[in-house]
Amino acid sequence: MSLVGQVDRATSSARGRGRRPGELTRGAGLGLGVGVLWLSLLVLLPIAAIVSTAFDEGLAGFWDAVTDREALAAIQFTVGAAALVTVVNAVVGTLIAWVLVRDRFPGKRILEVVIDIPFALPTIVAGLVLITLYGPSGPFGINLVGTRAGVVLALLFVTLPFVVRSVQPVLIDADREVEQAAASLGASGFTIFRRVILPTVTPAVVSGAALSFARALGEFGSVILISANLIGKTQVSSSYILKMIESQETQSAAAVATLLLVVAVVVLVLLDGVQRRTARRG
Amino acid sequence: MKSTPRGPLTRTSSRIAAVLVAASLLAVAGCSSSDDDGETSADGTQGAGGGDTSIDLVGFAVIQSAYDDLADAFAATDEGKGVTVAGSFGASGAQSRAVIAGQDADLVALSLTPDVQNIADEGLIAPDWASDEHQGIVSDSVVVLAVRPGNPKNIQGWDDLIQPGVGIVTADPGTSGSAKWNLLGAYSQALGDSNDTAAAEAYLGKFIDNVVSWNDSGRTATDAFVKGTGDVLISYENEAIAARASGVELDYVVPDTTFLIENPAAVTTTASQAAKDFLDYVRSDAGQEILIAHGFRSVSGVTPSADVEGANDPANPFPDVTIITVEDLGGWSTVNDELFDKENGLVTQLRG
């Protein structure tokens, strides 16, 4: 709904002079139609199908499916791991972006490329890489296979670029003169960070973090090898969903998927709220 | 600027929009007619030349190379002249659902009888598909124990798997139908001749406690094992032979008592004569020879006429051991209920 409203406003102010508010030009109307059709086919219809499958056996069926001990354990673990990963990414990702934008050092170009590798790798390849390094025959002598730490590591790996890549352009655009002015007025480094830099980058950090969270929630390929899929311990919800599909329990699979969808939407909305508030202050 | 009429601008944007609409419609249309995507042709000449017949084969992942060879050999016969096989390979359960959902298929070759039966239940395969002398089975194998080169933990049989400190890697029967063979192997040998269910449950409990990695498919289980996870991989004789033939460093042990793996195949109700001929060829001695070369045991008792590369003993690739079958345990519906049911199955309970 808000999308439609925004498009409305944007188009009527851009070239809708003399038109009644809310009325679209033919081109804009067609564009809006295509956009909504596209979104419907790709996103809304499939989601509606999943949600309706989830309630195939009514509310009780949905409740049974998501309170199944194994399902609950998988969901709790996945949401917790995704939250942890999101927090770590927000801090470390911002730091990496800061270093990449503000500092000059040899090998910076290479680091820029390295950051994107987790995006470029098919996730199952990421899983193989991780188990090679942090598996039983890895060079570091630490075996994370079948541990929760291993799963978190895999999620950190595949979500690393989100915060870095959303904060970087903001830092590049940030007006350094404001920081210099603050410094010349006697602000300490910490005050400058808190009052000047943080408000500028927070919206970007938050949007990157939101993407990290959503991705971590649904991650499959990179975690299946390192997690070892131990029920009640390291089983992630995507793996549980696959298992339900394979055992012809489509309704259970859809119910768990729907619950995850709700969690993701709630978190995205919350973070969106944070983003708006900080953006207004900034 | 002021004199620029809005007309052309609007027209341009509507033209762009029209192009977008057309493109999206084409994309949607493309999706619906892209059933052939991802299929590989045995000889790369799928559909080439008028009058040639193409068989749509829907198979499980492991059999791809064997069926590529079978298709080539079939094309060299009189019946197979000009027939190409377009194969789509993937996880058995997913393939079964794809056919039910409408994927074109003349011939299905899957890892478990229930996966074919589910298609037959939808009326897409003749109800009597399993009424031949081999109950629709075209290739056999047995459950084996793959170990590290040199067998450092000296694993010789099932009893060694439940010793403390032995890490077992297996595919998860929840996500991989073919992993059911692994658990059936463990369970059935512990039942023994006296059909001691208590002993079998106790064994399976210890077995499950020793599992360090449940993988979503047989292939990822092999990957995890090759990367160093665990001490023993529950696998299939044909998988172990194929892995060794392709240079993977592992040894395997065929236990004295093990479980028979049976892979069924059937033609669909809409299959062409060529597909029926091809299935007959797979069942023929010549076809069974090709499966043997890929590490499978023959259904019809054809003996290997050449060395099987990758086997422990290439000259005697299939050692004679005591073999338990799913029929011995009461058939698929019984084992699915007793062992693999999501609520009350023994495996589910022991894992929970």
Side-chain angles (χ1 to χ4, degrees):
Chain A
M1 287 311 280
S2 73
L3 174 80
V4 177
Q6 275 172 14
V7 171
D8 259 13
R9 254 180 282 128
T11 44
S12 55
S13 63
R15 58 171 108 94
R17 275 164 295 158
R19 286 169 189 275
R20 270 176 286 129
E23 195 180 334
L24 297 174
T25 62
R26 231 169 32 142
L30 202 52
L32 177 64
V34 172
V36 170
L37 177 72
W38 191 254
L39 267 178
S40 304
L41 288 175
L42 276 181
V43 184
L44 297 179
L45 273 180
I47 287 180
I50 289 172
V51 174
S52 92
T53 312
F55 290 98
D56 261 356
E57 291 164 30
L59 202 60
F62 176 83
W63 186 249
D64 282 351
V66 297
T67 51
D68 176 274
R69 208 150 54 94
E70 187 179 340
L72 213 53
I75 293 166
Q76 277 171 353
F77 171 55
T78 311
V79 172
L84 178 62
V85 162
T86 304
V87 172
V88 174
N89 272 336
V91 176
V92 179
T94 309
L95 186 74
I96 293 175
W98 178 268
V99 169
L100 283 177
V101 172
R102 292 291 168 94
D103 296 335
R104 290 163 178 274
F105 52 89
K108 184 172 157 178
R109 280 290 177 81
I110 297 174
L111 196 61
E112 285 269 5
V113 175
V114 168
I115 299 261
D116 282 334
I117 285 181
F119 267 170
L121 278 181
T123 52
I124 182 71
V125 178
L128 277 173
V129 169
L130 287 168
I131 198 176
T132 307
L133 282 183
Y134 304 106
S137 32
F140 307 125
I142 38 171
N143 180 9
L144 296 180
V145 172
T147 66
R148 294 184 158 193
V151 174
V152 171
L153 185 79
L155 296 180
L156 281 173
F157 179 83
V158 292
T159 56
L160 167 71
F162 283 109
V163 173
V164 179
R165 286 297 181 229
S166 53
V167 172
Q168 240 182 334
V170 177
L171 278 177
I172 291 172
D173 287 346
D175 200 348
R176 300 201 53 180
E177 284 172 11
V178 182
E179 289 167 45
Q180 284 157 5
S184 72
L185 291 171
S188 69
F190 179 70
T191 310
I192 296 174
F193 177 76
R194 194 168 56 86
R195 303 288 295 272
V196 179
I197 297 162
L198 208 53
T200 320
V201 299
T202 302
V205 173
V206 169
S207 80
L211 290 173
S212 288
F213 182 80
R215 173 72 186 270
L217 213 53
E219 183 53 24
F220 179 73
S222 62
V223 295
I224 48 169
L225 276 173
I226 205 161
S227 82
N229 192 27
L230 304 174
I231 291 174
K233 189 183 170 208
T234 59
Q235 186 181 45
V236 292
S237 36
S238 55
S239 187
Y240 178 80
I241 291 172
L242 174 68
K243 179 173 169 171
M244 287 302 101
I245 294 171
E246 288 296 330
S247 3
Q248 313 280 347
E249 305 259 358
T250 325
Q251 186 262 336
S252 295
V256 173
T258 302
L259 184 65
L260 287 176
L261 199 66
V262 171
V263 172
V265 168
V266 167
V267 169
L268 288 179
V269 168
L270 281 179
L271 290 181
D272 190 55
V274 172
Q275 198 182 339
R276 278 162 201 275
R277 273 184 51 188
T278 49
R280 223 180 295 140
R281 252 196 249 148
Chain B
M1 281 308 285
K2 239 191 167 160
S3 63
T4 310
R6 196 186 298 128
L9 221 172
T10 317
R11 232 176 291 143
T12 313
S13 56
S14 51
R15 212 172 291 149
I16 291 170
V19 169
L20 280 175
V21 171
S24 55
L25 287 179
L26 278 177
V28 171
C31 289
S32 60
S33 66
S34 63
D35 289 349
D36 294 346
D37 280 1
E39 289 186 353
T40 56
S41 163
D43 56 3
T45 58
Q46 177 189 348
D52 282 356
T53 324
S54 176
I55 301 170
D56 286 319
L57 165 68
V58 178
F60 68 108
V62 170
I63 56 167
Q64 179 158 8
S65 61
Y67 272 72
D68 283 352
D69 285 358
L70 282 165
D72 285 347
F74 179 62
T77 65
D78 286 343
E79 284 154 333
K81 228 177 169 58
V83 177
T84 57
V85 176
S88 118
F89 298 94
S92 185
Q95 294 289 73
S96 172
R97 282 194 304 278
V99 173
I100 291 170
Q103 180 175 350
D104 287 340
D106 296 310
L107 176 64
V108 291
L110 301 174
S111 75
L112 296 175
T113 293
D115 286 340
V116 176
Q117 189 58 46
N118 285 343
I119 304 173
D121 289 345
E122 300 290 321
L124 300 170
I125 288 175
D128 64 344
W129 70 273
S131 61
D132 65 304
E133 57 174 323
H134 303 301
Q135 286 82 43
I137 307 300
V138 295
S139 56
D140 280 347
S141 195
V142 296
V143 179
V144 299
L145 316 175
V147 294
R148 307 263 166 228
N151 198 357
K153 293 243 167 167
N154 192 27
I155 285 160
Q156 299 300 336
W158 293 102
D159 287 342
D160 299 321
L161 302 187
I162 55 170
Q163 301 306 318
V166 173
I168 300 172
V169 179
T170 173
D172 186 335
T175 48
S176 159
S178 40
K180 287 178 178 175
W181 299 118
N182 300 350
L183 279 293
L184 286 169
Y187 179 76
S188 64
Q189 58 81 33
L191 273 175
D193 294 335
S194 53
N195 208 21
D196 187 346
T197 43
E201 279 190 41
Y203 178 88
L204 199 58
K206 289 184 194 162
F207 177 94
I208 285 173
D209 284 345
N210 268 2
V211 174
V212 291
S213 186
W214 296 96
N215 296 88
D216 69 311
S217 74
R219 275 292 146 80
T220 51
T222 309
D223 280 339
F225 180 73
V226 169
K227 296 283 181 197
T229 304
D231 304 302
V232 56
L233 167 74
I234 315 299
S235 187
Y236 318 124
E237 191 175 47
N238 62 290
E239 272 278 90
I241 290 174
R244 280 164 56 91
S246 68
V248 176
E249 285 193 1
L250 54 81
D251 285 348
Y252 70 91
V253 176
V254 185
D256 291 337
T257 298
T258 189
F259 205 82
L260 181 68
I261 291 163
E262 302 169 288
N263 310 128
V267 290
T268 59
T269 47
T270 55
S272 57
Q273 186 57 41
K276 292 170 189 162
D277 292 342
F278 181 55
L279 181 56
D280 286 342
Y281 181 78
V282 173
R283 290 179 165 142
S284 72
D285 289 358
Q288 292 289 304
E289 276 281 356
I290 292 170
L291 285 163
I292 286 171
H294 286 272
F296 290 95
R297 294 188 176 207
S298 165
V299 183
S300 51
V302 175
T303 48
S305 62
D307 284 2
V308 175
E309 195 201 341
N312 276 339
D313 178 1
N316 178 24
F318 307 119
D320 227 352
V321 292
T322 308
I323 289 175
I324 304 168
T325 69
V326 75
E327 280 307 314
D328 296 338
L329 298 182
W332 273 111
S333 58
T334 308
V335 293
N336 273 335
D337 284 352
E338 287 181 359
L339 265 69
F340 302 114
D341 181 71
K342 198 202 160 278
E343 297 293 324
N344 306 311
L346 183 60
V347 173
T348 318
Q349 300 203 335
L350 291 173
R351 281 181 76 182

